Amino acid sequence: MGIKSFIGRRKRQKKEVLRPALVSEYMTKKLITFNPDQPIADVMEILIKNKISGGPVVNKKNELLGIISEGDCIKQISDSRYYNMPAENDTVEKHMVKNVETIDGNLNVFDAAKKFLDSKRRRFPIVENGKLVGQISQKDILIAALQQKGHNWK
């Protein structure tokens, strides 16, 4: 008499189809933004108070005009001391980076990570239809990568 198996019939497991995580799923949507006429001293206080390293500069229509960072503020402090110029009259527009590289919200987070490595940037704004909709940082990419680790990495 042969050996009988008591395990029973096995169901075929469906392979889970994985889609890549997108930048738009991990980007920050509630941003602290600055306006071009804002005094640079206000920006420094906001950066320190909110423990952020920079933020987008937008106009009243929420259109991206530039980015202001801690480094831009430090450069302003250094210049004002070197040239003996008061800092009270300085505005964001004078010190912000105007040529801003953006990233597409539909980009895969791993491709975004590559873009971060290639550009040496700490953050990328996401613009849709000319309006700022969010921002992705290197920390957001790390969060996405850790959540994807069990699914996409071998």
Side-chain angles (χ1 to χ4, degrees), residues 35-130:
N35 65 61
D37 301 325
Q38 198 167 1
I40 201 81
D42 288 356
V43 172
M44 290 182 214
E45 289 177 21
I46 292 168
L47 293 177
I48 292 166
K49 178 183 170 195
N50 293 289
K51 298 179 181 176
I52 58 175
S53 61
V57 181
V58 295
N59 62 15
K60 291 178 180 166
K61 296 178 185 175
N62 206 37
E63 296 168 331
L64 183 66
L65 302 175
I67 294 236
I68 189 82
S69 70
E70 291 170 323
D72 300 324
C73 295
I74 290 171
K75 184 171 180 352
Q76 184 277 334
I77 291 167
S78 175
D79 289 349
S80 68
R81 179 159 173 114
Y82 183 79
Y83 296 109
N84 198 21
M85 303 201 38
E88 299 88 45
N89 301 330
D90 275 345
T91 61
V92 169
E93 189 170 29
K94 292 179 186 175
H95 299 283
M96 70 183 184
V97 173
K98 294 176 181 145
N99 186 13
V100 180
E101 197 174 345
T102 61
I103 200 166
D104 184 7
N106 294 320
L107 189 66
N108 176 318
V109 291
F110 295 107
D111 294 335
K114 175 78 170 116
K115 190 164 181 175
F116 272 109
L117 290 172
D118 293 343
S119 70
K120 306 283 190 224
R121 302 262 190 251
R122 294 176 74 174
R123 70 191 66 76
F124 284 109
I126 292 102
V127 176
E128 288 178 8
N129 301 321

